[in-house]
Amino acid sequence: MADMYPEVAHHTVRLNGIKQHYVITGDGPPVYLLHGFPETWFGWRKQIPALAQHYTVVAPDLRGYGLSDKPAIGYDKRTMANDVVALMDHLGHQTIALVGHDRGARVSTRFAKDHRDRVDRLAILDNVPTRVLASTFDLERAKAGYWIFPFMGVLDLPEKLIGGGNEEAFLTHLFRTWSYNPQMLSADEVEVYVKNYQQPGTLRGSFADYRAMAEDTAQDIEDADVLIDCPVLTMWGAESDVVGKAYDVAQVWRGMAKDVTAIPIPECGHLCQEERPDFVNAELLKFLAGWNGS
């Protein structure tokens, strides 16, 4: 099981009012990796060694996830983006290249809008912006996988139904239905996530991330006419029911940013960095090639 873990240094530091856990490795211009649900920094284990050959790689556990604090408030994406800014300031990084998947992509998108001078380039993996999702949500999309939004939006009940022994069944269902290859994660890899969700507060914290959808949508609508002006790479699983099969992803992101490279990933579901690391790593390295830290 130790073979699953890349060589990284683990740190915890209190920033922006919470204890943040992050891993760091490598040397060179900083690249930050923001994970999605139901993952942690561990979701980037297949990218970290490849990127660390050229860059300083920082992968935090987002607020509510992993070994970071799980406060009762602060899950709107503006606050979560400010968590990242606080971590950058702590590490002395003025400008970064930013990579986000799923929930981390929502934080990354808000970061690029709110802190335009602190991001050189932005990579988005299998995600459409919150306001786009909110304006298109319907029964068919709910059936395809977005049922978790209203389900986890209910206070207390999801924690009661999943906690206390049903974490493995819940997570295994998500991993299998979100993947092109339903067996892509080994039993040991699934167990890493199960143990994480058995920690006190993790279910509540990650669900609070989803419960911030109304606030996130309002923030997105506020500056909907402001285009992201750094280069953007958007990649998505061609077989992802929640993104690739549900949206014209390239068109969506060309309405979000001035300079967009859009790449579908064949034979891949929602968890693209875990399912097709070969493809994702190659495209990330190509996209990051001009990033020199200045």
Side-chain angles (χ1 to χ4, degrees):
M1 195 163 174
D3 293 344
M4 294 190 299
Y5 291 93
E7 292 186 12
V8 295
H10 290 257
H11 299 276
T12 56
V13 60
R14 181 161 290 278
L15 300 166
N16 203 31
I18 64 166
K19 181 185 73 176
Q20 294 193 41
H21 169 256
Y22 67 95
V23 303
I24 186 169
T25 189
D27 188 36
V31 175
Y32 280 50
L33 308 176
L34 305 187
H35 66 83
F37 173 88
E39 297 169 302
T40 65
W41 76 267
F42 180 76
W44 298 110
R45 67 196 175 281
K46 299 174 183 178
Q47 284 66 54
I48 289 171
L51 296 178
Q53 294 179 42
H54 310 278
Y55 305 100
T56 298
V57 180
V58 180
D61 286 338
L62 297 176
R63 172 186 298 246
Y65 294 85
L67 298 177
S68 289
D69 274 353
K70 297 139 183 87
I73 59 172
Y75 293 91
D76 66 283
K77 299 306 161 286
R78 176 160 287 139
T79 298
M80 293 178 77
N82 287 339
D83 291 342
V84 179
V85 172
L87 181 57
M88 289 172 59
D89 290 343
H90 172 73
L91 294 174
H93 296 148
Q94 177 58 34
T95 309
I96 62 172
L98 185 57
V99 182
H101 170 252
D102 186 75
R103 309 304 298 176
R106 301 190 190 285
V107 178
S108 299
T109 303
R110 177 46 47 199
F111 184 105
K113 290 283 190 92
D114 287 357
H115 306 283
R116 301 169 77 181
D117 61 334
R118 304 203 66 175
V119 57
D120 181 82
R121 59 198 63 202
L122 172 69
I124 297 292
L125 275 60
D126 214 71
N127 190 254
V128 295
T130 308
R131 65 177 171 83
V132 173
L133 170 60
S135 67
T136 57
F137 189 88
D138 58 20
L139 183 58
E140 289 307 308
R141 284 189 170 83
K143 288 178 181 176
Y146 284 109
W147 58 270
I148 62 174
F149 280 76
F151 172 66
M152 295 193 300
V154 178
L155 287 174
D156 301 327
L157 183 61
E159 290 93 323
K160 185 72 173 175
L161 294 175
I162 296 165
N166 291 319
E167 297 89 353
E168 182 176 3
F170 176 64
L171 293 173
T172 299
H173 173 81
L174 293 181
F175 291 138
R176 286 181 177 169
T177 57
W178 281 351
S179 303
Y180 175 75
N181 171 13
Q183 301 299 323
M184 68 151 187
L185 292 181
S186 69
D188 284 345
E189 288 171 315
V190 173
E191 183 65 14
V192 171
Y193 292 118
V194 171
K195 286 184 176 178
N196 173 61
Y197 275 84
Q198 289 172 340
Q199 293 182 105
T202 301
L203 287 171
R204 177 179 51 80
S206 61
F207 293 174
D209 184 7
Y210 283 82
R211 290 167 186 159
M213 185 172 179
E215 193 170 358
D216 293 340
T217 302
Q219 290 173 1
D220 281 3
I221 290 172
E222 221 172 66
D223 56 11
D225 59 335
V226 178
L227 294 180
I228 296 170
D229 54 13
C230 69
V232 173
L233 168 66
T234 181
M235 290 190 284
W236 64 94
E239 305 301 327
S240 169
D241 288 334
V242 292
V243 177
K245 288 185 171 182
Y247 293 94
D248 182 338
V249 187
Q251 182 182 33
V252 167
W253 279 98
R254 286 178 181 134
M256 286 290 296
K258 298 176 181 178
D259 177 4
V260 176
T261 300
I263 302 175
I265 306 171
E267 297 186 352
C268 185
H270 177 55
L271 305 172
C272 42
Q273 78 279 16
E274 299 220 51
E275 188 161 24
R276 289 297 308 273
D278 52 339
F279 192 108
V280 169
N281 292 355
E283 293 300 334
L284 283 179
L285 287 169
K286 191 187 306 181
F287 180 66
L288 294 169
W291 169 226
N292 60 16
S294 60

